[in-house]
Amino acid sequence: MAKSDEICMGHKPTQPQQSTLGSPEGLLFSDITENSAKVIWLAPKIRVNKFVINYVPATGGASNTVEVEGSRTQTTLVNLMPGVEYRVSLVSVKGTEESTPASGSLTTALDSPSGLRAINVTDSEALAVWKPSLASVDNYVISYSAKNAPAVEYTVSGNNVENDIIGLQPSTEYILKMYAVRGPHRSREISAIFTTGIVEL
């Protein structure tokens, strides 16, 4: 959702000539989620008409701009892609003058897999299925536990969308959990509950 301080968002317009206009400083990023990030900066001493933020995926793709009123020193970038590094540049503009850019980079959080559930449940096994994360991930970490059974955790490939769960106890409620991993980063955990069947005599 666009913030009130954002004048527009779209492809970067033709830029005015660069000058000695003071540049914004202290470019920082906070509150980074799967699809948004807050950008914070220090304004130059000279009052400016606006700030122009340009951001583009580091691996290539369409660039976007957000123009922010000159009285502001922060805004939120939205509609970002999960697990993607973005290169961000910020300039101050006064009339036809534009400062040299302040720049930095941020990486959005990994999104979680979704739709986790257990199917084909018997008295001793089940099949865990899920929808993959939108971001490219290395692995999924899956665990399951019950009140009267020890927790079991294992890792599967990030290409998987299902995995067998075996060695379960009959007539037992289990909590199934999982999260995505890429390098040192991990997504939020999701969970589901299922109950094994009774032993058929």
Side-chain angles (χ1 to χ4, degrees), residues 147-198:
K147 290 182 179 180
N148 58 343
V152 176
E153 181 178 284
Y154 53 94
T155 300
V156 301
S157 167
N159 296 321
N160 285 21
V161 292
E162 63 179 41
N163 201 78
D164 290 319
I165 305 172
I166 60 176
L168 304 177
Q169 297 182 8
S171 303
T172 300
E173 182 179 86
Y174 282 87
I175 299 177
L176 179 63
K177 300 178 181 180
M178 73 178 302
Y179 58 88
V181 176
R182 187 177 73 193
H185 306 288
R186 57 171 286 179
S187 73
R188 291 179 293 104
E189 189 175 69
I190 61 173
S191 63
I193 295 174
F194 68 96
T195 302
T196 52
I198 60 175

mmCIF file of all heavy atoms in Angstrom, residues 147-198:
data_model
loop_
_atom_site.group_PDB
_atom_site.id
_atom_site.type_symbol
_atom_site.label_atom_id
_atom_site.label_comp_id
_atom_site.label_asym_id
_atom_site.label_seq_id
_atom_site.Cartn_x
_atom_site.Cartn_y
_atom_site.Cartn_z
ATOM 1 N N LYS A 147 2.897 -35.158 22.116
ATOM 2 C CA LYS A 147 3.077 -35.124 23.570
ATOM 3 C C LYS A 147 3.810 -36.360 24.087
ATOM 4 O O LYS A 147 4.597 -36.277 25.019
ATOM 5 C CB LYS A 147 1.722 -34.988 24.265
ATOM 6 C CG LYS A 147 1.070 -33.624 24.077
ATOM 7 C CD LYS A 147 -0.237 -33.524 24.821
ATOM 8 C CE LYS A 147 -0.879 -32.160 24.668
ATOM 9 N NZ LYS A 147 -2.173 -32.054 25.401
ATOM 10 N N ASN A 148 3.524 -37.504 23.508
ATOM 11 C CA ASN A 148 4.112 -38.739 24.009
ATOM 12 C C ASN A 148 5.176 -39.300 23.066
ATOM 13 O O ASN A 148 5.481 -40.480 23.069
ATOM 14 C CB ASN A 148 3.024 -39.794 24.233
ATOM 15 C CG ASN A 148 2.248 -40.089 22.948
ATOM 16 O OD1 ASN A 148 2.291 -39.322 22.002
ATOM 17 N ND2 ASN A 148 1.531 -41.205 22.956
ATOM 18 N N ALA A 149 5.732 -38.420 22.196
ATOM 19 C CA ALA A 149 6.760 -38.866 21.262
ATOM 20 C C ALA A 149 7.815 -37.774 21.108
ATOM 21 O O ALA A 149 7.482 -36.582 21.126
ATOM 22 C CB ALA A 149 6.142 -39.190 19.900
ATOM 23 N N PRO A 150 9.087 -38.141 20.980
ATOM 24 C CA PRO A 150 10.150 -37.134 20.831
ATOM 25 C C PRO A 150 10.043 -36.407 19.495
ATOM 26 O O PRO A 150 9.537 -36.956 18.510
ATOM 27 C CB PRO A 150 11.428 -37.966 20.915
ATOM 28 C CG PRO A 150 11.030 -39.326 20.443
ATOM 29 C CD PRO A 150 9.634 -39.524 20.960
ATOM 30 N N ALA A 151 10.513 -35.171 19.465
ATOM 31 C CA ALA A 151 10.496 -34.392 18.235
ATOM 32 C C ALA A 151 11.516 -34.958 17.246
ATOM 33 O O ALA A 151 12.607 -35.383 17.632
ATOM 34 C CB ALA A 151 10.807 -32.935 18.529
ATOM 35 N N VAL A 152 11.151 -34.961 15.995
ATOM 36 C CA VAL A 152 12.029 -35.417 14.918
ATOM 37 C C VAL A 152 12.187 -34.272 13.923
ATOM 38 O O VAL A 152 11.192 -33.654 13.519
ATOM 39 C CB VAL A 152 11.453 -36.657 14.204
ATOM 40 C CG1 VAL A 152 12.340 -37.063 13.030
ATOM 41 C CG2 VAL A 152 11.286 -37.805 15.182
ATOM 42 N N GLU A 153 13.430 -33.978 13.533
ATOM 43 C CA GLU A 153 13.681 -32.893 12.581
ATOM 44 C C GLU A 153 14.605 -33.377 11.477
ATOM 45 O O GLU A 153 15.559 -34.111 11.731
ATOM 46 C CB GLU A 153 14.312 -31.688 13.295
ATOM 47 C CG GLU A 153 14.581 -30.507 12.375
ATOM 48 C CD GLU A 153 15.153 -29.313 13.117
ATOM 49 O OE1 GLU A 153 14.377 -28.613 13.808
ATOM 50 O OE2 GLU A 153 16.372 -29.085 13.018
ATOM 51 N N TYR A 154 14.347 -32.974 10.259
ATOM 52 C CA TYR A 154 15.215 -33.346 9.152
ATOM 53 C C TYR A 154 15.119 -32.282 8.061
ATOM 54 O O TYR A 154 14.236 -31.418 8.076
ATOM 55 C CB TYR A 154 14.851 -34.725 8.600
ATOM 56 C CG TYR A 154 13.409 -34.912 8.231
ATOM 57 C CD1 TYR A 154 12.968 -34.693 6.928
ATOM 58 C CD2 TYR A 154 12.466 -35.310 9.184
ATOM 59 C CE1 TYR A 154 11.631 -34.862 6.588
ATOM 60 C CE2 TYR A 154 11.134 -35.481 8.844
ATOM 61 C CZ TYR A 154 10.729 -35.251 7.541
ATOM 62 O OH TYR A 154 9.410 -35.413 7.210
ATOM 63 N N THR A 155 16.069 -32.314 7.142
ATOM 64 C CA THR A 155 16.168 -31.320 6.075
ATOM 65 C C THR A 155 15.951 -31.973 4.719
ATOM 66 O O THR A 155 16.463 -33.062 4.460
ATOM 67 C CB THR A 155 17.562 -30.656 6.109
ATOM 68 O OG1 THR A 155 17.748 -30.019 7.375
ATOM 69 C CG2 THR A 155 17.694 -29.610 5.012
ATOM 70 N N VAL A 156 15.182 -31.302 3.854
ATOM 71 C CA VAL A 156 14.952 -31.801 2.500
ATOM 72 C C VAL A 156 15.327 -30.703 1.504
ATOM 73 O O VAL A 156 15.445 -29.528 1.862
ATOM 74 C CB VAL A 156 13.486 -32.237 2.289
ATOM 75 C CG1 VAL A 156 13.106 -33.331 3.258
ATOM 76 C CG2 VAL A 156 12.528 -31.051 2.412
ATOM 77 N N SER A 157 15.507 -31.073 0.270
ATOM 78 C CA SER A 157 15.892 -30.136 -0.781
ATOM 79 C C SER A 157 14.845 -29.042 -0.987
ATOM 80 O O SER A 157 13.640 -29.272 -0.822
ATOM 81 C CB SER A 157 16.097 -30.902 -2.087
ATOM 82 O OG SER A 157 16.185 -30.016 -3.186
ATOM 83 N N GLY A 158 15.313 -27.869 -1.366
ATOM 84 C CA GLY A 158 14.409 -26.765 -1.662
ATOM 85 C C GLY A 158 13.562 -26.999 -2.891
ATOM 86 O O GLY A 158 12.648 -26.216 -3.175
ATOM 87 N N ASN A 159 13.855 -28.066 -3.641
ATOM 88 C CA ASN A 159 13.043 -28.410 -4.812
ATOM 89 C C ASN A 159 11.839 -29.276 -4.448
ATOM 90 O O ASN A 159 10.952 -29.488 -5.277
ATOM 91 C CB ASN A 159 13.892 -29.148 -5.857
ATOM 92 C CG ASN A 159 15.006 -28.284 -6.413
ATOM 93 O OD1 ASN A 159 14.820 -27.096 -6.638
ATOM 94 N ND2 ASN A 159 16.173 -28.879 -6.622
ATOM 95 N N ASN A 160 11.837 -29.815 -3.225
ATOM 96 C CA ASN A 160 10.764 -30.722 -2.811
ATOM 97 C C ASN A 160 9.472 -29.974 -2.487
ATOM 98 O O ASN A 160 9.509 -28.835 -1.988
ATOM 99 C CB ASN A 160 11.181 -31.523 -1.571
ATOM 100 C CG ASN A 160 12.170 -32.625 -1.896
ATOM 101 O OD1 ASN A 160 12.836 -32.585 -2.925
ATOM 102 N ND2 ASN A 160 12.277 -33.607 -1.018
ATOM 103 N N VAL A 161 8.347 -30.631 -2.733
ATOM 104 C CA VAL A 161 7.043 -30.091 -2.329
ATOM 105 C C VAL A 161 6.246 -31.136 -1.549
ATOM 106 O O VAL A 161 5.063 -30.939 -1.269
ATOM 107 C CB VAL A 161 6.219 -29.613 -3.542
ATOM 108 C CG1 VAL A 161 6.859 -28.385 -4.170
ATOM 109 C CG2 VAL A 161 6.059 -30.732 -4.565
ATOM 110 N N GLU A 162 6.916 -32.253 -1.202
ATOM 111 C CA GLU A 162 6.283 -33.274 -0.373
ATOM 112 C C GLU A 162 7.369 -34.141 0.251
ATOM 113 O O GLU A 162 8.493 -34.188 -0.233
ATOM 114 C CB GLU A 162 5.325 -34.147 -1.178
ATOM 115 C CG GLU A 162 5.987 -34.944 -2.280
ATOM 116 C CD GLU A 162 5.005 -35.809 -3.050
ATOM 117 O OE1 GLU A 162 3.888 -35.328 -3.339
ATOM 118 O OE2 GLU A 162 5.358 -36.969 -3.346
ATOM 119 N N ASN A 163 7.016 -34.807 1.338
ATOM 120 C CA ASN A 163 7.973 -35.705 1.984
ATOM 121 C C ASN A 163 7.248 -36.685 2.900
ATOM 122 O O ASN A 163 6.291 -36.320 3.584
ATOM 123 C CB ASN A 163 8.989 -34.914 2.811
ATOM 124 C CG ASN A 163 10.252 -35.710 3.066
ATOM 125 O OD1 ASN A 163 11.100 -35.829 2.195
ATOM 126 N ND2 ASN A 163 10.373 -36.265 4.259
ATOM 127 N N ASP A 164 7.703 -37.944 2.871
ATOM 128 C CA ASP A 164 7.100 -38.976 3.719
ATOM 129 C C ASP A 164 7.468 -38.770 5.182
ATOM 130 O O ASP A 164 8.597 -38.403 5.514
ATOM 131 C CB ASP A 164 7.578 -40.365 3.283
ATOM 132 C CG ASP A 164 7.010 -40.781 1.946
ATOM 133 O OD1 ASP A 164 5.817 -40.519 1.707
ATOM 134 O OD2 ASP A 164 7.763 -41.354 1.133
ATOM 135 N N ILE A 165 6.497 -39.016 6.057
ATOM 136 C CA ILE A 165 6.720 -39.025 7.498
ATOM 137 C C ILE A 165 6.405 -40.446 7.977
ATOM 138 O O ILE A 165 5.277 -40.927 7.794
ATOM 139 C CB ILE A 165 5.801 -38.022 8.227
ATOM 140 C CG1 ILE A 165 5.984 -36.623 7.635
ATOM 141 C CG2 ILE A 165 6.095 -38.004 9.720
ATOM 142 C CD1 ILE A 165 4.982 -35.617 8.157
ATOM 143 N N ILE A 166 7.401 -41.118 8.538
ATOM 144 C CA ILE A 166 7.221 -42.510 8.923
ATOM 145 C C ILE A 166 7.534 -42.705 10.408
ATOM 146 O O ILE A 166 8.032 -41.796 11.079
ATOM 147 C CB ILE A 166 8.110 -43.439 8.076
ATOM 148 C CG1 ILE A 166 9.593 -43.069 8.266
ATOM 149 C CG2 ILE A 166 7.717 -43.343 6.595
ATOM 150 C CD1 ILE A 166 10.544 -44.017 7.537
ATOM 151 N N GLY A 167 7.218 -43.898 10.899
ATOM 152 C CA GLY A 167 7.510 -44.224 12.294
ATOM 153 C C GLY A 167 6.636 -43.512 13.301
ATOM 154 O O GLY A 167 7.058 -43.258 14.438
ATOM 155 N N LEU A 168 5.409 -43.199 12.902
ATOM 156 C CA LEU A 168 4.495 -42.502 13.808
ATOM 157 C C LEU A 168 3.774 -43.479 14.721
ATOM 158 O O LEU A 168 3.673 -44.667 14.429
ATOM 159 C CB LEU A 168 3.468 -41.711 12.989
ATOM 160 C CG LEU A 168 4.034 -40.711 11.972
ATOM 161 C CD1 LEU A 168 2.902 -40.067 11.180
ATOM 162 C CD2 LEU A 168 4.882 -39.653 12.665
ATOM 163 N N GLN A 169 3.258 -42.945 15.818
ATOM 164 C CA GLN A 169 2.479 -43.754 16.750
ATOM 165 C C GLN A 169 0.991 -43.640 16.399
ATOM 166 O O GLN A 169 0.534 -42.576 15.983
ATOM 167 C CB GLN A 169 2.715 -43.295 18.191
ATOM 168 C CG GLN A 169 4.160 -43.464 18.651
ATOM 169 C CD GLN A 169 4.349 -43.057 20.095
ATOM 170 O OE1 GLN A 169 3.387 -42.780 20.806
ATOM 171 N NE2 GLN A 169 5.592 -43.024 20.545
ATOM 172 N N PRO A 170 0.232 -44.714 16.584
ATOM 173 C CA PRO A 170 -1.197 -44.675 16.238
ATOM 174 C C PRO A 170 -2.011 -43.800 17.193
ATOM 175 O O PRO A 170 -1.613 -43.573 18.342
ATOM 176 C CB PRO A 170 -1.614 -46.147 16.329
ATOM 177 C CG PRO A 170 -0.643 -46.755 17.280
ATOM 178 C CD PRO A 170 0.658 -46.052 17.050
ATOM 179 N N SER A 171 -3.119 -43.329 16.695
ATOM 180 C CA SER A 171 -4.078 -42.533 17.487
ATOM 181 C C SER A 171 -3.393 -41.396 18.243
ATOM 182 O O SER A 171 -3.665 -41.144 19.426
ATOM 183 C CB SER A 171 -4.816 -43.447 18.484
ATOM 184 O OG SER A 171 -5.472 -44.499 17.808
ATOM 185 N N THR A 172 -2.513 -40.686 17.547
ATOM 186 C CA THR A 172 -1.722 -39.637 18.180
ATOM 187 C C THR A 172 -1.809 -38.340 17.375
ATOM 188 O O THR A 172 -1.727 -38.358 16.152
ATOM 189 C CB THR A 172 -0.244 -40.061 18.285
ATOM 190 O OG1 THR A 172 -0.159 -41.263 19.066
ATOM 191 C CG2 THR A 172 0.605 -38.982 18.946
ATOM 192 N N GLU A 173 -1.972 -37.244 18.079
ATOM 193 C CA GLU A 173 -1.989 -35.932 17.425
ATOM 194 C C GLU A 173 -0.556 -35.409 17.283
ATOM 195 O O GLU A 173 0.184 -35.351 18.264
ATOM 196 C CB GLU A 173 -2.822 -34.936 18.233
ATOM 197 C CG GLU A 173 -2.928 -33.564 17.571
ATOM 198 C CD GLU A 173 -3.766 -32.587 18.367
ATOM 199 O OE1 GLU A 173 -3.213 -31.926 19.277
ATOM 200 O OE2 GLU A 173 -4.975 -32.490 18.080
ATOM 201 N N TYR A 174 -0.189 -35.041 16.097
ATOM 202 C CA TYR A 174 1.150 -34.524 15.819
ATOM 203 C C TYR A 174 1.079 -33.075 15.347
ATOM 204 O O TYR A 174 0.120 -32.664 14.673
ATOM 205 C CB TYR A 174 1.835 -35.352 14.726
ATOM 206 C CG TYR A 174 2.391 -36.670 15.196
ATOM 207 C CD1 TYR A 174 1.591 -37.805 15.213
ATOM 208 C CD2 TYR A 174 3.711 -36.774 15.625
ATOM 209 C CE1 TYR A 174 2.090 -39.035 15.648
ATOM 210 C CE2 TYR A 174 4.225 -37.996 16.053
ATOM 211 C CZ TYR A 174 3.414 -39.116 16.067
ATOM 212 O OH TYR A 174 3.926 -40.320 16.504
ATOM 213 N N ILE A 175 2.113 -32.320 15.702
ATOM 214 C CA ILE A 175 2.290 -30.962 15.185
ATOM 215 C C ILE A 175 3.404 -31.021 14.148
ATOM 216 O O ILE A 175 4.526 -31.445 14.441
ATOM 217 C CB ILE A 175 2.657 -29.966 16.296
ATOM 218 C CG1 ILE A 175 1.551 -29.902 17.350
ATOM 219 C CG2 ILE A 175 2.901 -28.581 15.695
ATOM 220 C CD1 ILE A 175 1.885 -28.990 18.510
ATOM 221 N N LEU A 176 3.089 -30.620 12.939
ATOM 222 C CA LEU A 176 4.026 -30.620 11.828
ATOM 223 C C LEU A 176 4.462 -29.179 11.570
ATOM 224 O O LEU A 176 3.628 -28.283 11.453
ATOM 225 C CB LEU A 176 3.335 -31.210 10.592
ATOM 226 C CG LEU A 176 4.107 -31.303 9.286
ATOM 227 C CD1 LEU A 176 5.317 -32.224 9.417
ATOM 228 C CD2 LEU A 176 3.170 -31.789 8.177
ATOM 229 N N LYS A 177 5.777 -28.954 11.506
ATOM 230 C CA LYS A 177 6.298 -27.592 11.306
ATOM 231 C C LYS A 177 7.348 -27.599 10.194
ATOM 232 O O LYS A 177 8.005 -28.605 9.959
ATOM 233 C CB LYS A 177 6.938 -27.052 12.593
ATOM 234 C CG LYS A 177 5.994 -26.963 13.776
ATOM 235 C CD LYS A 177 6.731 -26.460 15.013
ATOM 236 C CE LYS A 177 5.811 -26.381 16.221
ATOM 237 N NZ LYS A 177 6.524 -25.882 17.426
ATOM 238 N N MET A 178 7.519 -26.435 9.562
ATOM 239 C CA MET A 178 8.578 -26.321 8.565
ATOM 240 C C MET A 178 8.913 -24.860 8.287
ATOM 241 O O MET A 178 8.107 -23.962 8.529
ATOM 242 C CB MET A 178 8.197 -27.038 7.264
ATOM 243 C CG MET A 178 7.156 -26.346 6.426
ATOM 244 S SD MET A 178 6.784 -27.224 4.870
ATOM 245 C CE MET A 178 8.374 -27.284 4.079
ATOM 246 N N TYR A 179 10.130 -24.644 7.789
ATOM 247 C CA TYR A 179 10.549 -23.314 7.344
ATOM 248 C C TYR A 179 11.577 -23.469 6.235
ATOM 249 O O TYR A 179 12.175 -24.543 6.059
ATOM 250 C CB TYR A 179 11.107 -22.477 8.505
ATOM 251 C CG TYR A 179 12.290 -23.079 9.238
ATOM 252 C CD1 TYR A 179 13.604 -22.856 8.801
ATOM 253 C CD2 TYR A 179 12.103 -23.856 10.382
ATOM 254 C CE1 TYR A 179 14.679 -23.395 9.486
ATOM 255 C CE2 TYR A 179 13.173 -24.397 11.071
ATOM 256 C CZ TYR A 179 14.460 -24.152 10.619
ATOM 257 O OH TYR A 179 15.534 -24.697 11.292
ATOM 258 N N ALA A 180 11.778 -22.417 5.475
ATOM 259 C CA ALA A 180 12.715 -22.422 4.354
ATOM 260 C C ALA A 180 14.056 -21.842 4.792
ATOM 261 O O ALA A 180 14.131 -20.992 5.686
ATOM 262 C CB ALA A 180 12.146 -21.610 3.197
ATOM 263 N N VAL A 181 15.127 -22.303 4.129
ATOM 264 C CA VAL A 181 16.481 -21.845 4.442
ATOM 265 C C VAL A 181 17.228 -21.531 3.147
ATOM 266 O O VAL A 181 17.129 -22.277 2.169
ATOM 267 C CB VAL A 181 17.271 -22.924 5.217
ATOM 268 C CG1 VAL A 181 18.714 -22.468 5.454
ATOM 269 C CG2 VAL A 181 16.598 -23.255 6.528
ATOM 270 N N ARG A 182 17.946 -20.411 3.144
ATOM 271 C CA ARG A 182 18.890 -20.116 2.074
ATOM 272 C C ARG A 182 20.100 -19.447 2.690
ATOM 273 O O ARG A 182 20.003 -18.347 3.233
ATOM 274 C CB ARG A 182 18.287 -19.201 1.007
ATOM 275 C CG ARG A 182 19.226 -19.033 -0.214
ATOM 276 C CD ARG A 182 18.607 -18.190 -1.287
ATOM 277 N NE ARG A 182 18.573 -16.787 -0.910
ATOM 278 C CZ ARG A 182 17.857 -15.872 -1.550
ATOM 279 N NH1 ARG A 182 17.087 -16.233 -2.560
ATOM 280 N NH2 ARG A 182 17.873 -14.616 -1.155
ATOM 281 N N GLY A 183 21.235 -20.146 2.646
ATOM 282 C CA GLY A 183 22.431 -19.628 3.295
ATOM 283 C C GLY A 183 22.169 -19.414 4.772
ATOM 284 O O GLY A 183 21.611 -20.295 5.442
ATOM 285 N N PRO A 184 22.501 -18.230 5.303
ATOM 286 C CA PRO A 184 22.262 -17.963 6.729
ATOM 287 C C PRO A 184 20.838 -17.496 7.030
ATOM 288 O O PRO A 184 20.489 -17.263 8.181
ATOM 289 C CB PRO A 184 23.267 -16.849 7.036
ATOM 290 C CG PRO A 184 23.362 -16.098 5.747
ATOM 291 C CD PRO A 184 23.235 -17.139 4.653
ATOM 292 N N HIS A 185 20.014 -17.368 6.002
ATOM 293 C CA HIS A 185 18.669 -16.814 6.174
ATOM 294 C C HIS A 185 17.615 -17.917 6.292
ATOM 295 O O HIS A 185 17.742 -18.975 5.673
ATOM 296 C CB HIS A 185 18.322 -15.896 5.002
ATOM 297 C CG HIS A 185 19.318 -14.822 4.754
ATOM 298 N ND1 HIS A 185 19.474 -13.732 5.577
ATOM 299 C CD2 HIS A 185 20.246 -14.680 3.773
ATOM 300 C CE1 HIS A 185 20.431 -12.964 5.125
ATOM 301 N NE2 HIS A 185 20.926 -13.519 4.024
ATOM 302 N N ARG A 186 16.588 -17.651 7.064
ATOM 303 C CA ARG A 186 15.478 -18.592 7.201
ATOM 304 C C ARG A 186 14.164 -17.830 7.213
ATOM 305 O O ARG A 186 14.092 -16.669 7.625
ATOM 306 C CB ARG A 186 15.607 -19.444 8.475
ATOM 307 C CG ARG A 186 15.700 -18.656 9.760
ATOM 308 C CD ARG A 186 15.615 -19.554 10.986
ATOM 309 N NE ARG A 186 14.255 -20.028 11.211
ATOM 310 C CZ ARG A 186 13.901 -20.851 12.202
ATOM 311 N NH1 ARG A 186 14.823 -21.299 13.030
ATOM 312 N NH2 ARG A 186 12.651 -21.217 12.358
ATOM 313 N N SER A 187 13.136 -18.489 6.752
ATOM 314 C CA SER A 187 11.810 -17.870 6.708
ATOM 315 C C SER A 187 11.089 -18.053 8.042
ATOM 316 O O SER A 187 11.579 -18.738 8.952
ATOM 317 C CB SER A 187 10.976 -18.508 5.592
ATOM 318 O OG SER A 187 10.571 -19.827 5.964
ATOM 319 N N ARG A 188 9.920 -17.471 8.122
ATOM 320 C CA ARG A 188 9.055 -17.738 9.263
ATOM 321 C C ARG A 188 8.590 -19.196 9.208
ATOM 322 O O ARG A 188 8.498 -19.795 8.142
ATOM 323 C CB ARG A 188 7.832 -16.813 9.240
ATOM 324 C CG ARG A 188 8.137 -15.358 9.518
ATOM 325 C CD ARG A 188 6.886 -14.504 9.448
ATOM 326 N NE ARG A 188 6.350 -14.443 8.093
ATOM 327 C CZ ARG A 188 5.291 -15.102 7.663
ATOM 328 N NH1 ARG A 188 4.615 -15.918 8.477
ATOM 329 N NH2 ARG A 188 4.871 -14.973 6.412
ATOM 330 N N GLU A 189 8.304 -19.740 10.372
ATOM 331 C CA GLU A 189 7.865 -21.134 10.464
ATOM 332 C C GLU A 189 6.361 -21.225 10.255
ATOM 333 O O GLU A 189 5.603 -20.360 10.702
ATOM 334 C CB GLU A 189 8.243 -21.681 11.841
ATOM 335 C CG GLU A 189 8.035 -23.170 12.014
ATOM 336 C CD GLU A 189 8.542 -23.633 13.369
ATOM 337 O OE1 GLU A 189 7.922 -23.266 14.390
ATOM 338 O OE2 GLU A 189 9.567 -24.337 13.405
ATOM 339 N N ILE A 190 5.927 -22.275 9.565
ATOM 340 C CA ILE A 190 4.502 -22.554 9.432
ATOM 341 C C ILE A 190 4.228 -23.914 10.071
ATOM 342 O O ILE A 190 5.153 -24.710 10.290
ATOM 343 C CB ILE A 190 4.038 -22.545 7.965
ATOM 344 C CG1 ILE A 190 4.777 -23.615 7.151
ATOM 345 C CG2 ILE A 190 4.246 -21.165 7.366
ATOM 346 C CD1 ILE A 190 4.236 -23.776 5.731
ATOM 347 N N SER A 191 2.978 -24.199 10.365
ATOM 348 C CA SER A 191 2.672 -25.455 11.051
ATOM 349 C C SER A 191 1.306 -25.996 10.650
ATOM 350 O O SER A 191 0.464 -25.282 10.089
ATOM 351 C CB SER A 191 2.723 -25.260 12.574
ATOM 352 O OG SER A 191 1.742 -24.333 12.992
ATOM 353 N N ALA A 192 1.098 -27.259 10.956
ATOM 354 C CA ALA A 192 -0.182 -27.927 10.722
ATOM 355 C C ALA A 192 -0.320 -29.042 11.751
ATOM 356 O O ALA A 192 0.677 -29.506 12.323
ATOM 357 C CB ALA A 192 -0.253 -28.495 9.305
ATOM 358 N N ILE A 193 -1.529 -29.468 11.999
ATOM 359 C CA ILE A 193 -1.803 -30.526 12.977
ATOM 360 C C ILE A 193 -2.506 -31.686 12.272
ATOM 361 O O ILE A 193 -3.373 -31.461 11.423
ATOM 362 C CB ILE A 193 -2.669 -30.002 14.129
ATOM 363 C CG1 ILE A 193 -1.923 -28.937 14.935
ATOM 364 C CG2 ILE A 193 -3.100 -31.152 15.058
ATOM 365 C CD1 ILE A 193 -2.757 -28.264 16.004
ATOM 366 N N PHE A 194 -2.111 -32.907 12.601
ATOM 367 C CA PHE A 194 -2.800 -34.058 12.060
ATOM 368 C C PHE A 194 -2.805 -35.158 13.110
ATOM 369 O O PHE A 194 -1.989 -35.156 14.055
ATOM 370 C CB PHE A 194 -2.148 -34.570 10.767
ATOM 371 C CG PHE A 194 -0.774 -35.177 10.947
ATOM 372 C CD1 PHE A 194 -0.629 -36.550 11.077
ATOM 373 C CD2 PHE A 194 0.355 -34.384 10.976
ATOM 374 C CE1 PHE A 194 0.624 -37.118 11.240
ATOM 375 C CE2 PHE A 194 1.620 -34.943 11.120
ATOM 376 C CZ PHE A 194 1.754 -36.321 11.259
ATOM 377 N N THR A 195 -3.718 -36.116 12.979
ATOM 378 C CA THR A 195 -3.847 -37.228 13.928
ATOM 379 C C THR A 195 -3.763 -38.546 13.173
ATOM 380 O O THR A 195 -4.460 -38.745 12.170
ATOM 381 C CB THR A 195 -5.172 -37.141 14.695
ATOM 382 O OG1 THR A 195 -5.225 -35.878 15.388
ATOM 383 C CG2 THR A 195 -5.289 -38.277 15.708
ATOM 384 N N THR A 196 -2.915 -39.421 13.655
ATOM 385 C CA THR A 196 -2.781 -40.742 13.022
ATOM 386 C C THR A 196 -4.007 -41.611 13.321
ATOM 387 O O THR A 196 -4.735 -41.367 14.286
ATOM 388 C CB THR A 196 -1.519 -41.443 13.508
ATOM 389 O OG1 THR A 196 -1.504 -41.447 14.946
ATOM 390 C CG2 THR A 196 -0.264 -40.759 13.011
ATOM 391 N N GLY A 197 -4.195 -42.631 12.496
ATOM 392 C CA GLY A 197 -5.329 -43.507 12.656
ATOM 393 C C GLY A 197 -5.083 -44.572 13.717
ATOM 394 O O GLY A 197 -3.972 -44.711 14.257
ATOM 395 N N ILE A 198 -6.119 -45.329 13.999
ATOM 396 C CA ILE A 198 -5.990 -46.423 14.960
ATOM 397 C C ILE A 198 -5.448 -47.662 14.249
ATOM 398 O O ILE A 198 -5.545 -47.814 13.037
ATOM 399 C CB ILE A 198 -7.356 -46.733 15.613
ATOM 400 C CG1 ILE A 198 -8.375 -47.150 14.562
ATOM 401 C CG2 ILE A 198 -7.853 -45.524 16.397
ATOM 402 C CD1 ILE A 198 -9.700 -47.587 15.128
#
